[in-house]
Amino acid sequence: MSASLTASRLAIVSGKGGVGKTTVSAALALAAGHAGKRVLLVEVEQRQAIAPLFGERPIGYEERRLAPNVTALSVEPDEALVEYLYLFYGIRRVGKVLRGTKAVDFATNVAPGLRDILLIGKVKEAERRRQEGRYVYDLIVLDAPPTGRLPRFLDAPRAVTELVSSGPIRKQAQGVLDMVTDPKRCRVVLVTLPEDMPVRETVEAADALAKMSVTVGPIVINSVLPEVFSSAKLKVLARDAATPLAADAEKAGIRLTEDAVDGLARVTSMHARKTLCQRGAIAELERETSIPSLQLPYVFSPRMGRDEIDRLSAELEAQGAIG
């Protein structure tokens, strides 16, 4: 499998909560935009997490430019229902009346999967949209629900086609199903951290999606710490960093107080232990899946913003992630 994140027209980015999938989605969109692709960056579930990364006001249901070649959209169920009713039944007024009421919540609770069909159905419309004989967008990046909910989110169209035998709802569901199971049109990009639990959840999600005939990959390993110690020193420093630190300081002619040695030793040992855990998690991911992976560095910053996203997008470009 190619290590390109843009091998399909739709990249569905997901991961365990807290692994940085929104950050990776934004970095991927920017990198593809830098490469000259026309990108639509989409978020669902009204999280409004993308706009702050670009220093912009919240995104709505109207597509809005965030950066050169990068347009953003927030898909909301009630707005998607209004558009759906108009496109398939030509009834815009009823849809507008429903907007903002509890009717959408009621309808989507009575018909499980309908909410997800509305959300991803809007993504499919953007993926198929053409103007003057060419696609409007070269790449759609979807900041999707976390992996705990992703299989149900992507399986919603299949469930609807099994329940509904004909009509526009079935046609819409079948169209979405055709998209998510076609590797030329869609693949899932799983984001993980180099830690035990996120890696386990990533492996489980990859297995579940493969059984649904959804293409997965590459996997993005986010927040990888730099390795500053040799392999030979790592285990020693993880157990006890104070003795070698004091010895190295004396050899270099540096006088350190006992408190200074203790403080440096705590930080050194913690970094060594984290590095060993990181190595183990990455090895487990490679052992349990045959999916190519990319690595993004840990960003030492109190908050993520445009500068940090620019740096990560440059890393993706340098690793050949934009085909």
Side-chain angles (χ1 to χ4, degrees):
M1 175 185 287
S2 164
S4 171
L5 294 172
T6 59
S8 305
R9 286 177 38 74
L10 169 60
I12 297 177
V13 183
S14 182
K16 179 178 170 62
V19 300
K21 66 182 181 62
T22 301
T23 300
V24 172
S25 298
L28 170 57
L30 268 185
H34 290 160
K37 295 181 182 295
R38 293 159 299 164
V39 184
L40 179 64
L41 177 56
V42 183
E43 66 180 357
V44 293
E45 299 184 321
Q46 299 171 291
R47 294 177 56 242
Q48 293 294 347
I50 288 175
L53 294 175
F54 290 83
E56 295 281 346
R57 57 187 167 83
I59 303 162
Y61 198 66
E62 300 291 330
E63 293 170 20
R64 177 153 56 88
R65 182 178 179 274
L66 281 186
N69 290 331
V70 178
T71 301
L73 170 69
S74 178
V75 182
E76 300 166 5
D78 53 351
E79 296 286 357
L81 179 60
V82 170
E83 184 173 357
Y84 177 86
L85 291 174
Y86 175 69
L87 289 175
F88 288 93
Y89 299 99
I91 45 177
R92 187 187 295 274
R93 178 173 297 178
V94 173
K96 287 182 177 178
V97 171
L98 291 175
R99 180 190 294 153
T101 71
K102 297 292 184 184
V104 175
D105 288 340
F106 175 77
T108 52
N109 287 331
V110 167
L114 179 57
R115 177 183 292 269
D116 292 336
I117 290 289
L118 291 171
L119 295 176
I120 200 168
K122 176 59 181 175
V123 175
K124 188 196 76 121
E125 180 276 323
E127 190 262 345
R128 291 284 89 183
R129 195 186 310 160
R130 287 174 174 266
Q131 190 172 46
E132 298 178 353
R134 61 183 297 201
Y135 288 117
V136 172
Y137 295 110
D138 302 309
L139 176 69
I140 315 285
V141 179
L142 172 60
D143 181 14
T147 44
R149 213 176 78 72
L150 186 67
R152 191 180 66 183
F153 178 72
L154 295 181
D155 204 40
R158 191 190 312 276
V160 171
T161 59
E162 291 172 355
L163 289 171
V164 183
S165 60
S166 62
I169 291 179
R170 180 191 167 83
K171 184 178 179 181
Q172 170 80 340
Q174 186 63 55
V176 173
L177 184 59
D178 291 343
M179 177 183 70
V180 299
T181 55
D182 183 348
K184 293 180 181 176
R185 296 174 62 189
C186 173
R187 66 183 54 210
V188 171
V189 176
L190 293 174
V191 181
T192 188
L193 296 177
E195 299 172 6
D196 185 43
M197 287 299 293
V199 163
R200 283 189 202 171
E201 186 162 322
T202 300
V203 171
E204 291 172 2
D207 287 344
L209 293 168
K211 289 173 183 172
M212 294 164 54
S213 301
V214 175
T215 301
V216 178
I219 293 172
V220 177
I221 307 172
N222 192 28
S223 296
V224 176
L225 288 169
E227 294 211 8
V228 296
F229 304 119
S230 68
S231 295
K233 280 191 171 181
L234 267 178
K235 289 184 179 177
V236 174
L237 293 174
R239 287 194 304 269
D240 172 28
T243 303
L245 268 174
D248 286 348
E250 185 176 354
K251 191 183 298 181
I254 300 172
R255 298 185 63 180
L256 293 176
T257 65
E258 192 172 318
D259 286 346
V261 171
D262 286 345
L264 287 170
R266 279 197 298 274
V267 173
T268 304
S269 290
M270 183 177 67
H271 189 89
R273 288 194 295 273
K274 279 183 172 288
T275 302
L276 288 170
C277 291
Q278 175 174 281
R279 284 187 178 185
I282 292 173
E284 181 184 355
L285 184 66
E286 293 173 346
R287 190 168 53 249
E288 296 293 334
T289 73
S290 56
I291 302 171
S293 63
L294 301 163
Q295 295 186 11
L296 288 177
Y298 185 92
V299 176
F300 293 91
S301 174
R303 61 179 292 275
M304 299 300 291
R306 179 59 189 268
D307 290 344
E308 290 75 18
I309 301 301
D310 277 334
R311 180 186 166 194
L312 294 176
S313 71
E315 290 282 349
L316 290 176
E317 291 179 70
Q319 294 183 47
I322 311 301

